[in-house]
Amino acid sequence: MPVIVQKYGGTSVGDPDRINVVADRVVRAREEGYDVVVVVSAMGDTTDELFAMAQEISAAPEPRELDMLLTAGERIAMSLLAIAVNARGCKAASYTGSQAGIITDSKHGQAKIVDVRPGRIREALAEGKVVIVAGFQGVSTTADVTTLGRGGSDTTGVALAAALEAECCEIYTDVEGVFTADPRIESSARKLERVTYDEMLELAAAGAKVLQLRSVEYARRNGVPIHVRSSFTDEPGTWVAEEDESVEQALISGVALDDEEAKVTLEEVPDHPGVAATIFKAVAEEAISVDMIVQNVSHRGKTDLSFTVPRADLPRLTGVMDRVVADIGAHGYSTDAGIAKVSLVGAGMKSHPEVKADMFDALATEGINIEMISTSSIRVSCVVRAEDAHRAVQAIHRRFGLDGSDAVSE
Ligand code: ADP
Ligand code: ASP
Ligand code: MG
């Protein structure tokens, strides 16, 4: 029998009524002749609530204990869904990440999947059962429970689809697919029928939370087609797959917003070889990822250097920066959490240099100042003030006619 993996996000299993709706859909897939493997997220905001509870007790909970706590959310959802499917007369059994054979490294909170050993899942499928797996979690090579980073259930789904050679991985969420912008920010955003892995990677890296970045990387590496769709309707959603040679590449696929970064500026940094290496080695040693980096032209041997990091890492970065400033002899540093990054993504922009200018002009026309810029061959990102972020997304979306009206740079 062909295998299908269906992953349901937090809103889709947010309460018992929603769980019943999901159970109906799961049973339908079974009746259509599939071996069904379901991956669930924690119900609603459970993960946030568990995290907040831990923070109330300690500002710095041990990562191992935090992982143990957070994985409980997905266990609740998986067992309730198994109960709902069984109640429909369709055999189902639930499994934790560890039982499902999701083996990870031991980096708590951000663990990477190193192997998938789906022996028990195969046995249950052979017994005619629907398999329900807790997303977002695994077991480390040293036998501790781990989590895969926020949004990690997407990656569980894709990893199981790859290991079981499933037809595809369906990602059921609270929107109808991947849109030209977050439909909650831009109401005229249009659903995309198809996006390539490369475009989706850039969109996810630029902050479009609809798929976890790692899940897209995993899908591309293993050739797993992803179908992002709504658990609230039966409409087809968006296919994320290899480039289709017969279809002309869209100039632009969408606009993404990342409002979870902060800017750090080192002032009056001595401008000589080795300084950047010292700074970013120290940041990397704390396992803090740096996104954009801008170094200004130097005046009298000194220059300012700015970069962005995840806002949540700012407290950890402070200690590092104190040391770095002393090491390199800079004047000092400042941090700014009031920024947001707006990105335009599209494979077609490679051959259209005017796209960048049009994007900057759209921001200028709105009176929005650009603080930093970075580009890749299929993405342009601008850092703006956080309070301007939604207006920036809307202005760029309009300028490129992404709602389906006239596009500027065709
Ligand atoms: P789930 O809980 O199902 O995993 P997420 O909240 O992780 O759902 O992801 C879905 C959300 O992603 C949507 O509600 C939407 O606000 C947001 N989003 C951001 N950018 C996009 C985009 N380009 N297309 C669709 N949704 C987007
Ligand atoms: N429940 C986890 C989170 O909120 C994992 C997921 O939803 O994918 O991040
Ligand atoms: Mg998600």
Side-chain angles (χ1 to χ4, degrees):
M1 258 196 234
V3 178
I4 193 160
V5 175
Q6 301 188 328
K7 176 262 171 179
Y8 292 90
T11 317
S12 304
V13 291
D15 58 40
D17 286 344
R18 292 297 316 157
I19 289 180
N20 276 320
V21 172
V22 168
D24 287 338
R25 193 185 290 270
V26 168
V27 172
R28 228 184 310 144
R30 179 88 197 118
E31 286 167 357
E32 281 165 13
Y34 284 102
D35 271 346
V36 187
V37 176
V38 184
V39 173
V40 285
S41 292
M43 295 169 71
D45 296 328
T46 304
T47 309
D48 288 333
E49 288 158 13
L50 291 172
F51 192 78
M53 246 192 280
Q55 290 279 319
E56 254 181 60
I57 292 169
S58 161
E62 291 73 25
R64 180 187 182 279
E65 302 313 321
L66 196 56
D67 272 0
M68 196 62 106
L69 175 72
L70 296 185
T71 53
E74 270 70 13
R75 281 187 178 220
I76 296 172
M78 75 174 189
S79 39
L80 287 175
L81 182 60
I83 290 168
V85 174
N86 277 316
R88 282 159 176 73
C90 176
K91 282 189 288 177
S94 63
Y95 300 89
T96 63
S98 162
Q99 290 174 321
I102 307 286
I103 316 296
T104 73
D105 62 18
S106 45
K107 208 168 163 293
H108 286 290
Q110 273 298 338
K112 273 209 180 91
I113 297 178
V114 295
D115 197 10
V116 180
R117 298 176 195 155
R120 282 193 79 177
I121 295 185
R122 286 216 174 87
E123 278 167 31
L125 290 175
E127 289 165 16
K129 288 182 186 149
V130 166
V131 167
I132 299 170
V133 178
F136 172 59
Q137 56 182 268
V139 64
S140 73
T141 41
T142 49
D144 277 316
V145 169
T146 51
T147 61
L148 310 177
R150 296 307 303 266
S153 301
D154 297 337
T155 304
T156 309
V158 170
L160 286 174
L164 298 165
E165 294 173 4
E167 221 172 73
C168 73
C169 179
E170 293 187 319
I171 302 278
Y172 285 94
T173 183
D174 53 8
V175 288
E176 281 159 20
V178 180
F179 283 69
T180 49
D182 185 337
R184 298 183 200 287
I185 297 175
E186 174 53 63
S187 56
S188 72
R190 189 168 43 82
K191 185 175 79 186
L192 301 164
E193 258 172 55
R194 272 184 85 84
V195 279
T196 64
Y197 291 124
D198 284 348
E199 288 165 319
M200 194 64 231
L201 276 176
E202 291 281 3
L203 282 170
K209 282 199 207 87
V210 61
L211 284 174
Q212 195 200 30
L213 176 60
R214 275 200 194 156
S215 72
V216 189
E217 288 166 348
Y218 206 109
R220 179 170 68 165
R221 217 171 30 246
N222 294 277
V224 176
I226 300 180
H227 187 188
V228 181
R229 55 192 306 193
S230 166
S231 66
F232 293 78
T233 70
D234 285 329
E235 295 297 306
T238 302
W239 282 93
V240 184
E242 230 32 287
E243 197 172 305
D244 182 346
E245 301 287 337
S246 65
V247 178
E248 205 189 325
Q249 291 274 283
L251 175 68
I252 303 293
S253 25
V255 188
L257 171 64
D258 188 337
D259 53 7
E260 290 177 358
E261 288 196 0
K263 183 170 77 168
V264 182
T265 302
L266 277 158
E267 291 140 12
E268 297 186 24
V269 176
D271 191 14
H272 57 70
V275 168
T278 307
I279 298 167
F280 294 107
K281 221 159 129 191
V283 177
E285 272 163 15
E286 274 293 315
I288 296 173
S289 45
V290 171
D291 181 18
M292 291 168 139
I293 302 176
V294 172
Q295 181 175 334
N296 291 333
V297 179
S298 71
H299 294 288
R300 283 173 248 105
K302 305 257 183 188
T303 179
D304 286 355
L305 188 148
S306 295
F307 57 95
T308 61
V309 294
R311 202 175 292 160
D313 288 335
L314 269 189
R316 280 198 299 142
L317 192 75
T318 314
V320 182
M321 283 298 110
D322 289 338
R323 282 199 310 277
V324 163
V325 165
D327 278 0
I328 62 175
H331 175 68
Y333 74 95
S334 59
T335 59
D336 179 355
I339 60 150
K341 182 178 71 177
V342 185
S343 304
L344 184 64
V345 173
M349 74 169 69
K350 281 181 206 159
S351 48
H352 286 268
E354 71 280 13
V355 164
K356 295 185 182 70
D358 284 340
M359 174 174 173
F360 303 150
D361 188 53
L363 294 175
T365 309
E366 275 291 310
I368 295 173
N369 190 42
I370 303 172
E371 298 187 11
M372 294 169 96
I373 298 171
S374 79
T375 62
S376 81
S377 64
I378 66 167
R379 175 187 48 79
V380 192
S381 300
C382 295
V383 165
V384 299
R385 297 315 306 160
E387 60 269 24
D388 293 334
H390 284 200
R391 262 190 323 125
V393 170
Q394 289 154 354
I396 297 165
H397 197 268
R398 210 167 37 243
R399 170 63 68 103
F400 287 92
L402 294 177
D403 56 357
S405 61
D406 53 337
V408 109
S409 300
E410 298 277 47

